Amino acid sequence: MQERRYIPEEIEKKWQQFWEEEKTFQVTHEEPDRPKYYVLEMFPYPSGRIHMGHVRNYSIGDVVSRMKMMQGYNVLHPMGWDAFGMPAENAAIKNNTHPAHWTYQNIDYMRDELKRLGYSYDWSRELATCHPEYYQWEQLFFLKFFEKGLAYRKKAPVNWCPTCVTVLANEQVEAGQCWRCDSMVEKRELSQWFLRITDYAEELLKDLDKLSGGWPERVISMQKNWIGKSTGMEIDFPVQGLKEKITVFTTRHDTLFGATFMSLAPEHEMVPRLIRDNPEQEKISEFIARTTSQEHQERTAEDTEKEGIFTGSYCINPATGEKMPIFLANFVLAEYGTGAVMAVPAHDQRDLEFARKYNLPVRVVVKPLGMDEPLPDELDTAFVDPGLAVNSGQFNNKPTSQVQEEIADYLEGLQAGLRAVNYRLRDWNISRQRFWGAPIPVIYCQTCGIVPVPPGDLPVVLPQEAEMPRDGRSPLPDLESFVQVDCPECGQKARRETDTMDTFVESSWYFARFTAPRKNDDAFDPEAIKYWLPVDQYIGGIEHAILHLLYARFFVKALRDTGYWDLDEPFAHLLTQGMVLKDGAKMSKSKGNVVDPDEMIQRFGADTVRLYCLFASPPEKDLEWSDSAIEGSYRFLNRLWRLVHELSGVISPVGPCMAMEGTKLTPEENELRTAEHEAMRRATRDMLDRFQFNTAIAACMELLNTIGQRRQSLRESPNGPQVLSSALSTVLTVLAPITPHICEELWSHMGYRQSLAWSRWPEYDSRALVRQEVTVVIQVNGKLRSSMNVPVDMDQEELKSLCLEDEKVKKHIQDKNVVKVIIVPQKLVNIVVR
Ligand SMILES: [Zn+2]
Ligand SMILES: [Zn+2]
């Protein structure tokens, strides 16, 4: 008999076409009676080609989506394009074309690539954020935010990337460098649009608790640190000779008596008045110019020399009444806190170094518990821990925690300070001076000032005719047809805003638009929103831990308060997949270690690429690419193919995990049946509950080996064909979400009529696991009360809950509290109750 060869290309095309024609993955409507499941992978930027990182991300999402479908959920699994952004613009400049042209071409190419991988996307919901049909809603949100004061314009020192020719948000600057191109970021004073994310700082922080368990703890703690809440006091220090006060924020107001001088940011707005009468003004100005031209990173680094200059002015310590000289210090930044620091050299290392350098007084006001008060002159390391207050007037000899409260009351009584909370989070600068983004819908009129574009005039469309200047500047400011507009209020000639929005604005709400992407009279359909959101499972890279994930959380809250929904959080569960590495490094063109997905699909087929990505490593760990391992995945699929074809005529569509009670099985039949149910048990546990696809695949591989070893004798035995059929059906069912094409093909080859995509995830029969069972005795408070047979390798948690469910055991527990469960594996469970 001529053996039919496994030719991935043929069967993959065939099944992709089948799913498309059958609309297998198209979600047509919300079904309130059916449980829903919304799985989403972070949508890609259409850079030109997909890379292995994409393949891994989307393969994980696809398994989840297909698995949930097989469990009976109404599954939403959409895909789209985060299509605005600078690479399109730079490519357009290089190729002398329009960014839209480059972008849509890339989208077409990448869509084909994704389709070749057989992902279960509902393509009828595809969207691209650069369509006016999409960004018009964002412009409307902006107008609503503006009306509420959530969007505002201010002149501020902002991050400027000279290479990208645009400003960046704080979140887009990493260690002083541009997140996109690694250039050192400069500070520039510019008028910019901001979104008031700081209004939500407390809620963004507090709601992280709700995400605990659903999100990786690492991401939660990164967001916590970024928001950076600290609790303390704002204290006023009156300035001598000026009717003004310097306000500082401090968390260590218990050390107020030790504040001996004041450090200001050189950019502090009070500086010109403080140095007005100083004959050394020129020297001071020099210092300011030199310091402010330095990078923040450099100024605040631990090993940077602490430098400063005396302003000639003094302020008064409200606790001691003493004069404190006011210094400018390089390590104090204007944007953090109030730009002023009360210096307590005995209890802050930077202040101590500064005090020693400029010969400023050091006063100890906290002494370590049970030790002598340190001598200020001998101090070379600041004492920063809690202790007992000394040299602090009426607060002496009290623990610092108590002093904190008492000083706060005292200062509030004097109206010299207020308890306060400070956040590290700053408002989100969304102005970009580039072309390829959503225009900010605002008009500037000489008479009326800032005038929002009337909602009826939206969208403000990015002009198609623009030509890109070669230096990366936006063409918009010079494009008269775009800029010139009549003022909507007074009708006089006015100018449009030419800044566009940060592309992170588009990705802050796309997941919601996917629930009704073709709705054209509003941004969202309330019914669809209510049914589908939040996203049940979101999947993407850890690099978005702060940026995108923080912005999206903010947007959901801001749109909630604008009346769009009741939602508090966008993503119930988050999986951050590891990177794909080659030779120990992230794949990149410059390192020359890129593995091209297209090439791999051509050589091995999409199923092998998918299988490899899911088998090589658990999703959250990095994956080290190996050529021999992907060949191993390919050989496994070939083995599966040959086995099913070899057993043609023997096997039939009996269904996975076929019920066989009452049938007398031979020991060999029993053995395969046990192996089958054991594989199903492991796969169910590892795939559905834990997303550990690699161990589920391993279980399938073992089962296939057992089938291979027993096939000759079983094809002759009384129930052998049935046992073989059931076992092979189980292999195909478990693998279906992972390698869907080959599984569909072999499934139909076995004689099944319905697509495997719609099959139900089978349940294993624990009675079939008999070979690997042991008897475990169950005690309550050390007394034997029951016993049960369980699988040898049963998970301890599973065993524990099974025992607690036992009727006899329950009788002895009744309403007492279970304080402890002691498990001696494979022997005994002792439940301690009180
Ligand atoms: Zn840059
Ligand atoms: Zn006007």
Side-chain angles (χ1 to χ4, degrees):
M1 194 173 78
Q2 171 107 44
E3 201 191 328
R4 194 172 155 225
R5 270 186 52 220
Y6 171 42
I7 304 170
E9 210 189 334
E10 273 173 22
I11 61 159
E12 288 175 1
K13 268 211 190 93
K14 169 182 158 188
W15 286 100
Q16 284 158 18
Q17 211 172 348
F18 173 86
W19 295 322
E20 199 166 322
E21 280 164 11
E22 297 290 314
K23 300 189 170 41
T24 307
F25 305 111
Q26 199 164 316
V27 191
T28 49
H29 56 290
E30 292 79 52
E31 296 176 50
D33 302 334
R34 217 168 128 209
K36 67 93 184 178
Y37 196 90
Y38 184 0
V39 53
L40 184 66
E41 299 107 57
M42 291 180 185
F43 68 163
Y45 178 75
S47 55
R49 297 173 84 83
I50 58 165
H51 54 68
M52 268 307 166
H54 290 129
V55 175
R56 188 169 186 214
N57 184 187
Y58 307 153
S59 296
I60 294 167
D62 200 50
V63 179
V64 174
S65 160
R66 288 170 176 269
M67 242 164 42
K68 291 292 166 184
M69 249 180 94
M70 293 172 84
Q71 280 183 283
Y73 288 91
N74 191 19
V75 174
L76 176 60
H77 188 209
M79 178 46 83
W81 311 97
D82 191 8
F84 272 139
M86 205 163 333
E89 219 169 310
N90 294 341
I93 294 168
K94 205 168 132 203
N95 305 319
N96 214 1
T97 164
H98 193 280
H101 177 72
W102 185 84
T103 302
Y104 288 124
Q105 222 175 20
N106 286 347
I107 288 177
D108 287 342
Y109 188 85
M110 289 171 76
R111 186 192 304 109
D112 280 350
E113 286 185 295
L114 293 185
K115 286 191 170 175
R116 274 208 294 285
L117 280 153
Y119 294 135
S120 61
Y121 296 126
D122 177 354
W123 284 106
S124 73
R125 290 175 186 251
E126 180 184 355
L127 58 79
T129 57
C130 61
H131 277 296
E133 290 78 26
Y134 181 83
Y135 67 71
Q136 62 178 333
W137 303 116
E138 181 165 308
Q139 292 177 331
L140 183 66
F141 302 154
F142 180 91
L143 295 179
K144 294 189 176 194
F145 290 170
F146 179 70
E147 206 181 292
K148 286 171 65 92
L150 266 183
Y152 67 95
R153 187 174 158 88
K154 79 165 180 201
K155 192 167 187 178
V158 293
N159 311 301
W160 176 265
C161 175
T163 311
C164 298
V165 208
T166 184
V167 302
L168 302 169
N170 291 343
E171 287 77 10
Q172 292 157 349
V173 181
E174 293 156 14
Q177 291 173 309
C178 170
W179 69 293
R180 191 186 287 108
C181 71
D182 294 341
S183 302
M184 284 313 288
V185 168
E186 300 165 1
K187 280 285 164 188
R188 280 203 184 176
E189 190 82 19
L190 287 172
S191 283
Q192 300 281 291
W193 285 99
F194 290 84
L195 294 186
R196 214 179 286 277
I197 189 172
T198 52
D199 268 12
Y200 289 86
E202 185 59 33
E203 199 194 335
L204 285 166
L205 184 69
K206 194 182 75 221
D207 282 357
L208 286 172
D209 293 341
K210 293 187 194 165
L211 301 176
S212 185
W215 282 36
E217 282 307 317
R218 183 175 162 210
V219 175
I220 291 178
S221 78
M222 282 168 84
Q223 291 213 356
K224 270 190 187 151
N225 288 338
W226 185 259
I227 296 167
K229 179 180 181 174
S230 45
T231 311
M233 282 200 88
E234 276 182 358
I235 304 176
D236 295 330
F237 294 74
V239 180
Q240 269 200 329
L242 285 178
K243 287 199 174 70
E244 292 188 64
K245 292 166 182 160
I246 294 173
T247 304
V248 306
F249 174 82
T250 176
T251 56
R252 289 300 308 271
H253 42 283
D254 54 306
T255 63
L256 179 58
F257 283 80
T260 53
F261 61 99
M262 177 67 68
S263 301
L264 287 195
E267 301 91 336
H268 198 284
E269 57 89 27
M270 211 182 276
V271 173
R273 303 192 290 288
L274 295 173
I275 63 173
R276 200 170 41 201
D277 302 325
N278 193 328
E280 308 258 308
Q281 258 190 46
E282 209 168 299
K283 240 173 88 185
I284 298 177
S285 302
E286 240 170 66
F287 172 80
I288 295 174
R290 185 158 50 83
T291 314
T292 50
S293 69
Q294 278 174 338
E295 311 297 342
H296 282 183
Q297 186 72 15
E298 196 184 322
R299 271 168 65 179
T300 52
E302 224 167 279
D303 53 359
T304 298
E305 165 111 40
K306 312 288 171 278
E307 260 194 290
I309 194 159
F310 180 44
T311 58
S313 293
Y314 292 86
C315 59
I316 304 296
N317 183 322
T320 62
E322 287 170 358
K323 271 169 61 176
M324 294 162 56
I326 304 171
F327 274 74
L328 306 185
N330 62 343
F331 58 86
V332 182
L333 301 178
E335 302 92 285
Y336 290 106
T338 59
V341 174
M342 69 172 208
V344 187
H347 305 291
D348 180 282
Q349 189 59 30
R350 285 197 308 197
D351 295 344
L352 183 62
E353 286 170 33
F354 196 88
R356 293 295 186 228
K357 180 161 176 172
Y358 296 102
N359 257 327
L360 294 159
V362 176
R363 182 185 300 143
V364 174
V365 291
V366 181
K367 89 180 172 81
L369 285 175
M371 281 165 74
D372 289 339
E373 186 183 321
L375 294 173
D377 291 345
E378 288 170 9
L379 216 54
D380 50 10
T381 311
F383 176 66
V384 298
D385 296 327
L388 281 185
V390 292
N391 302 317
S392 296
Q394 69 264 45
F395 305 103
N396 279 346
N397 290 319
K398 294 177 178 171
T400 38
S401 56
Q402 185 185 344
V403 175
Q404 287 236 327
E405 293 309 316
E406 291 186 8
I407 286 198
D409 291 340
Y410 173 71
L411 291 177
E412 284 183 341
L414 290 177
Q415 295 194 320
L418 275 176
R419 285 180 169 87
V421 172
N422 194 47
Y423 298 92
R424 182 171 175 265
L425 183 69
R426 287 291 167 268
D427 280 339
W428 177 12
N429 175 353
I430 57 154
S431 289
R432 295 294 176 273
Q433 288 69 48
R434 298 293 298 236
F435 171 76
W436 192 232
I440 296 176
V442 158
I443 291 164
Y444 299 103
C445 169
Q446 292 233 311
T447 316
C448 313
I450 296 176
V451 181
V453 172
D457 292 355
L458 295 182
V460 178
V461 178
L462 211 52
Q464 282 295 317
E465 68 273 19
E467 270 180 46
M468 303 290 121
R470 305 213 63 87
D471 57 5
R473 272 182 312 113
S474 167
L476 288 180
D478 300 325
L479 201 65
E480 289 303 312
S481 60
F482 178 81
V483 173
Q484 281 189 5
V485 62
D486 293 338
C487 170
E489 279 180 17
C490 70
Q492 287 178 42
K493 289 218 174 312
R495 290 180 66 82
R496 269 189 205 288
E497 170 64 86
T498 55
D499 281 356
T500 53
M501 285 192 244
D502 184 359
T503 59
F504 279 92
V505 179
E506 283 92 61
S507 51
S508 293
W509 59 281
Y510 78 108
F511 46 87
R513 180 70 181 168
F514 270 140
T515 64
R518 302 291 172 259
K519 190 164 173 64
N520 52 25
D521 58 350
D522 205 347
F524 309 114
D525 172 351
E527 287 305 305
I529 291 285
K530 219 169 131 196
Y531 180 74
W532 289 114
L533 291 185
V535 173
D536 295 280
Q537 182 65 58
Y538 199 34
I539 306 166
I542 187 87
E543 66 273 20
H544 291 291
I546 292 167
L547 281 160
H548 160 58
L549 290 168
L550 187 67
Y551 294 148
R553 293 184 59 222
F554 157 64
F555 238 76
V556 161
K557 294 171 192 299
L559 288 177
R560 175 198 63 200
D561 296 343
T562 317
Y564 279 101
W565 49 50
D566 308 324
L567 202 66
D568 293 326
E569 287 289 335
F571 314 119
H573 295 86
L574 172 70
L575 190 156
T576 47
Q577 89 273 0
M579 289 192 295
V580 182
L581 309 174
K582 175 115 196 277
D583 313 320
K586 191 177 172 182
M587 289 185 185
S588 80
K589 264 189 208 150
S590 60
K591 290 201 192 80
N593 62 348
V594 174
V595 178
D596 179 28
D598 282 355
E599 197 191 312
M600 291 298 125
I601 296 170
Q602 220 166 22
R603 267 177 73 188
F604 301 110
D607 279 336
T608 294
V609 176
R610 295 169 57 121
L611 177 67
Y612 172 69
C613 283
L614 295 161
F615 182 54
S617 163
E620 67 280 1
K621 296 270 160 52
D622 288 344
L623 184 161
E624 172 70 39
W625 185 268
S626 149
D627 290 329
S628 62
I630 191 168
E631 280 166 21
S633 293
Y634 183 60
R635 279 197 303 275
F636 168 72
L637 292 184
N638 270 287
R639 207 151 57 233
L640 174 65
W641 178 271
R642 282 197 308 269
L643 203 60
V644 172
H645 281 84
E646 188 195 308
L647 291 171
S648 299
V650 177
I651 49 177
S652 59
V654 299
C657 294
M658 182 192 182
M660 285 184 166
E661 299 83 71
T663 315
K664 187 102 183 77
L665 298 180
T666 68
E668 206 168 18
E669 288 165 359
N670 229 337
E671 195 184 341
L672 179 56
R673 183 167 140 78
T674 303
E676 178 195 355
H677 285 260
E678 175 56 19
M680 194 64 224
R681 188 183 71 80
R682 281 168 58 191
T684 302
R685 180 194 64 190
D686 295 351
M687 273 175 86
L688 299 189
D689 303 341
R690 305 180 179 171
F691 293 178
Q692 299 297 296
F693 311 118
N694 54 330
T695 53
I697 294 166
C700 279
M701 289 176 167
E702 282 170 36
L703 177 56
L704 196 73
N705 278 342
T706 312
I707 297 171
Q709 287 156 12
R710 302 280 174 242
R711 70 186 193 283
Q712 290 310 348
S713 48
L714 282 179
R715 57 195 301 167
E716 312 293 337
S717 81
N719 295 295
Q722 288 198 321
V723 175
L724 279 169
S725 303
S726 176
L728 272 173
S729 301
T730 292
V731 172
L732 294 180
T733 308
V734 173
L735 288 178
I738 296 161
T739 55
H741 311 87
I742 188 172
C743 289
E744 288 274 20
E745 180 67 23
L746 296 176
W747 187 252
S748 101
H749 185 80
M750 278 185 75
Y752 290 100
R753 296 275 171 79
Q754 202 197 25
S755 161
L756 194 45
W758 284 109
S759 295
R760 279 311 176 92
W761 191 265
E763 279 184 29
Y764 68 91
D765 181 350
S766 50
R767 288 166 302 181
L769 301 174
V770 108
R771 178 178 57 111
Q772 284 138 322
E773 279 189 347
V774 282
T775 305
V776 172
V777 298
I778 312 172
Q779 301 175 336
V780 177
N781 285 350
K783 288 206 183 92
L784 181 65
R785 297 300 186 191
S786 183
S787 69
M788 61 169 69
N789 290 342
V790 297
V792 172
D793 56 347
M794 185 173 236
D795 187 290
Q796 296 214 350
E797 279 304 308
E798 217 176 314
L799 177 61
K800 187 172 133 187
S801 53
L802 212 59
C803 291
L804 291 170
E805 284 305 301
D806 184 276
E807 285 307 323
K808 287 185 211 150
V809 170
K810 269 186 177 164
K811 238 179 16 213
H812 289 281
I813 298 180
Q814 289 186 354
D815 47 296
K816 283 174 225 145
N817 282 332
V818 176
V819 282
K820 204 153 107 191
V821 178
I822 301 156
I823 296 176
V824 182
Q826 301 181 25
K827 287 203 175 72
L828 170 151
V829 175
N830 182 17
I831 302 165
V832 184
V833 296
R834 198 177 286 146

